[in-house]
Amino acid sequence: MGRRPRRARGEKLRPGVYRNAERASFRTGRSPGLDVSGDGRGCNEVWGQFSVNQIETDDTGAISVLDASYVQRCESADAPALRGVVKYQAYPLSYQYTSDAGDYIGQGGGATHLGATSTFSLSPYGDGVQWGVSGKREDWSAILTPPAGERFEAGRTYRGEGSSGEGVAGLNVFGNGRGCNEVSGELTVQRLALGEDGTVEAFAATFVQHCEGAGPALRGTIRYHA
């Protein structure tokens, strides 16, 4: 099967959403190119779009990392669609959250952030991490620290509070100008990769957070190249 998402002429392919795609070899003007074929079948004309969540190139300019998805319609804009995902040496990079009605931080809403629409960051914070995501008119941050005197371990679930203590992990997720004064909840570290100096380079976790001792919860999944 051939998969050939292409940028508009004269532009560099980067994370983002590419709409109004035309057949790659025959695209016009500034339209991005898309041409998915397989088993001897292909489109004469293409209507579609694709999203690039991650893309990296090596020193020669060849693609070394790719995470993309596409929707392609053959021969007409209202034809049945072919949908697919293309991944090459890409580790997950995303944030997904839901919140109960009455949760102060999430306001009862939810969203999924991917590299096509959002930017992500991860930096050391004591023995833990400070993580952030910005996109879709939202800004989220999380400060996550292991229990006092410990290091995070993959596969372990921790009781969480606003700051770490003996046997208690620090859990503080805030966003869009709203934060908790007091936190209770749970943090599960799913994946963890450390650099030679012991700092966290890749991280995946799920959390449940309650503000001010209230019952409604904010729930989320963080994946940073893990």
Side-chain angles (χ1 to χ4, degrees):
M1 176 179 286
R3 300 181 177 93
R4 298 190 294 274
R6 302 267 182 101
R7 64 188 185 277
R9 287 189 178 91
E11 297 180 13
K12 185 177 181 180
L13 197 63
R14 56 175 54 87
V17 180
Y18 294 78
R19 298 181 173 86
N20 300 317
E22 301 175 4
R23 186 179 174 190
S25 300
F26 302 99
R27 63 193 190 280
T28 60
R30 296 189 179 277
S31 296
L34 174 66
D35 192 351
V36 182
S37 58
D39 294 336
R41 295 184 295 275
C43 303
N44 292 309
E45 294 187 74
V46 165
W47 279 258
Q49 73 173 50
F50 59 92
S51 298
V52 177
N53 294 314
Q54 298 178 60
I55 186 168
E56 297 177 18
T57 57
D58 61 21
D59 292 340
T60 69
I63 291 176
S64 56
V65 172
L66 180 64
D67 178 0
S69 60
Y70 63 85
V71 178
Q72 174 177 281
R73 301 176 191 274
C74 280
E75 320 311 343
S76 72
D78 57 359
L82 173 69
R83 294 176 171 85
V85 174
V86 181
K87 289 192 176 184
Y88 178 70
Q89 299 188 152
Y91 291 96
L93 180 65
S94 64
Y95 173 53
Q96 184 272 335
Y97 76 92
T98 60
S99 59
D100 298 332
D103 171 62
Y104 175 65
I105 306 299
Q107 299 282 292
T112 297
H113 290 266
L114 300 171
T117 59
S118 306
T119 58
F120 301 83
S121 63
L122 185 75
S123 59
Y125 190 92
D127 291 330
V129 297
Q130 181 165 351
W131 165 91
V133 59
S134 177
K136 295 185 172 181
R137 301 179 184 271
E138 295 189 330
D139 287 288
W140 286 89
S141 297
I143 297 174
L144 309 171
T145 54
E150 299 184 30
R151 294 280 186 175
F152 276 135
E153 297 177 17
R156 184 173 169 186
T157 297
Y158 301 87
R159 181 166 64 90
E161 295 182 358
S163 59
S164 57
E166 186 175 350
V168 178
L171 171 64
N172 188 8
V173 182
F174 50 99
N176 301 327
R178 295 183 294 273
C180 305
N181 293 309
E182 296 183 13
V183 169
S184 61
E186 185 177 275
L187 173 68
T188 298
V189 177
Q190 299 174 316
R191 298 286 188 273
L192 183 67
L194 303 177
E196 293 183 357
D197 60 356
T199 58
V200 177
E201 295 183 344
F203 187 77
T206 61
F207 65 85
V208 179
Q209 175 177 279
H210 301 269
C211 267
E212 326 306 349
L218 172 71
R219 298 174 176 85
T221 300
I222 295 167
R223 298 189 184 279
Y224 188 85
H225 298 301

